[in-house]
């Protein structure tokens, strides 16, 4: 498991487990509890594909493959704690995510779907989240605009390595989203 902390005091863990998450598992048994700011706690699960938390808001997110996950049916389960300390669980289909209007959690699912679940991609995601101006992992934003703004900053500063890496990462996400959109459109045309 890889653990890191970024400048916004978020915490990330990434388990390289290829196993499918079982809904029958004991969620509380597989959780690491970390003290956040003040009395708010966050929960990070060691069996998740990726986990991250913000002691600032108290939100913690753990992402798993759903039991019926496949490349044709890329369904993920997101669970954790919201900013009020309430446990939540949500199912998300990666093919339905639009990077022009989605949550940070959705973008992290796109990272997983495009095989960009590594420390470098996480740091790009954190920069994108910061550029979006959002406070919550659940708030929707235009992450395409946030990424383009970051790339413009890199270009202005002459940070060409960062620009090229961001461009490749961004294109992976856009290509996936465009293929998913075309698949959805073609499926509707057949009906």
């Amino acid at each position: 498991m890889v653990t890191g902390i970024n400048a916004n005091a978020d915490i990330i863990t990434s388990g390289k487990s290829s196993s499918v998450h079982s809904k029958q598992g004991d969620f509380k048994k597989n959780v690491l509890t970390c003290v956040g700011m003040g009395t708010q706690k966050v929960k990070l699960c060691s069996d998740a594909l990726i986990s991250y938390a913000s002691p600032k808001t108290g939100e913690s997110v753990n992402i798993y493959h759903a039991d019926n996950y496949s490349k044709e049916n890329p369904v993920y389960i997101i669970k954790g704690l919201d900013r009020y300390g309430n446990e939540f669980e949500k199912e998300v289909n990666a093919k339905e995510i639009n990077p022009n209007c989605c949550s940070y959690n959705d973008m992290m699912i796109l990272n997983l779907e495009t095989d960009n679940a590594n420390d470098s991609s996480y740091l790009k995601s954190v920069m994108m989240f910061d550029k979006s101006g959002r406070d919550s992992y659940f708030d929707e934003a235009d992450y395409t605009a946030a990424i383009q703004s970051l790339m413009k900053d890199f270009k202005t500063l002459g940070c060409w390595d960062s620009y090229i890496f961001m461009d490749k990462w961004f294109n992976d996400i856009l290509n996936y989203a465009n293929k998913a959109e075309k698949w959805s459109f073609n499926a509707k045309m057949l009906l």
Side-chain angles (χ1 to χ4, degrees), residues 111-136:
N111 272 338
L112 289 165
E113 270 302 290
T114 58
D115 295 323
N116 284 312
N118 54 47
D119 292 342
S120 175
S121 294
Y122 177 71
L123 290 175
K124 291 176 186 100
S125 298
V126 169
M127 288 187 287
M128 171 201 65
F129 180 64
D130 186 54
K131 193 62 126 171
S132 76
R134 298 300 188 257
D135 185 37
S136 171

Side-chain angles (χ1 to χ4, degrees), residues 89-104:
E89 183 171 328
K90 180 180 177 185
E91 191 173 278
V92 177
N93 187 320
K95 287 185 177 182
E96 296 172 0
I97 298 171
N98 176 355
N100 296 323
C101 182
C102 67
S103 71
Y104 179 76

Side-chain angles (χ1 to χ4, degrees), residues 1-187:
M1 180 185 331
V2 178
T3 304
I5 300 176
N6 73 26
N8 292 324
D10 295 351
I11 301 167
I12 179 174
T13 66
S14 177
K16 300 299 179 193
S17 170
S18 60
S19 64
V20 175
H21 170 67
S22 171
K23 290 182 182 177
Q24 286 81 28
D26 184 3
F27 178 66
K28 292 185 180 191
K29 180 179 158 194
N30 294 318
V31 170
L32 304 169
T33 302
C34 306
V35 176
M37 304 217 29
T39 59
Q40 184 69 22
K41 296 190 183 254
V42 296
K43 292 188 176 184
L44 302 173
C45 299
S46 60
D47 64 339
L49 296 169
I50 192 166
S51 297
Y52 44 93
S54 172
K56 182 171 112 181
T57 63
E59 298 170 340
S60 53
V61 178
N62 302 281
I63 302 176
Y64 301 90
H65 285 141
D67 288 338
N68 60 345
Y69 174 88
S70 68
K71 283 295 180 184
E72 295 76 32
N73 185 42
V75 177
Y76 288 81
I77 302 294
I78 302 174
K79 4 166 89 172
L81 297 175
D82 66 16
R83 66 177 40 216
Y84 306 106
N86 301 318
E87 287 190 26
F88 69 89
E89 183 171 328
K90 180 180 177 185
E91 191 173 278
V92 177
N93 187 320
K95 287 185 177 182
E96 296 172 0
I97 298 171
N98 176 355
N100 296 323
C101 182
C102 67
S103 71
Y104 179 76
N105 298 328
D106 294 336
M107 287 300 292
M108 295 306 283
I109 287 173
L110 290 178
N111 272 338
L112 289 165
E113 270 302 290
T114 58
D115 295 323
N116 284 312
N118 54 47
D119 292 342
S120 175
S121 294
Y122 177 71
L123 290 175
K124 291 176 186 100
S125 298
V126 169
M127 288 187 287
M128 171 201 65
F129 180 64
D130 186 54
K131 193 62 126 171
S132 76
R134 298 300 188 257
D135 185 37
S136 171
Y137 295 140
F138 301 92
D139 291 344
E140 290 187 349
D142 181 352
Y143 284 107
T144 300
I147 293 169
Q148 289 171 334
S149 179
L150 275 170
M151 290 177 66
K152 182 179 177 188
D153 290 348
F154 289 142
K155 185 176 178 180
T156 301
L157 294 170
C159 299
W160 296 111
D161 286 346
S162 296
Y163 180 89
I164 291 168
F165 289 129
M166 183 68 75
D167 185 55
K168 187 219 175 292
W169 175 70
F170 182 42
N171 279 316
D172 286 349
I173 289 171
L174 285 181
N175 287 337
Y176 180 86
N178 286 336
K179 285 179 188 173
E181 183 178 304
K182 288 176 186 170
W183 179 87
S184 297
F185 177 75
N186 290 337

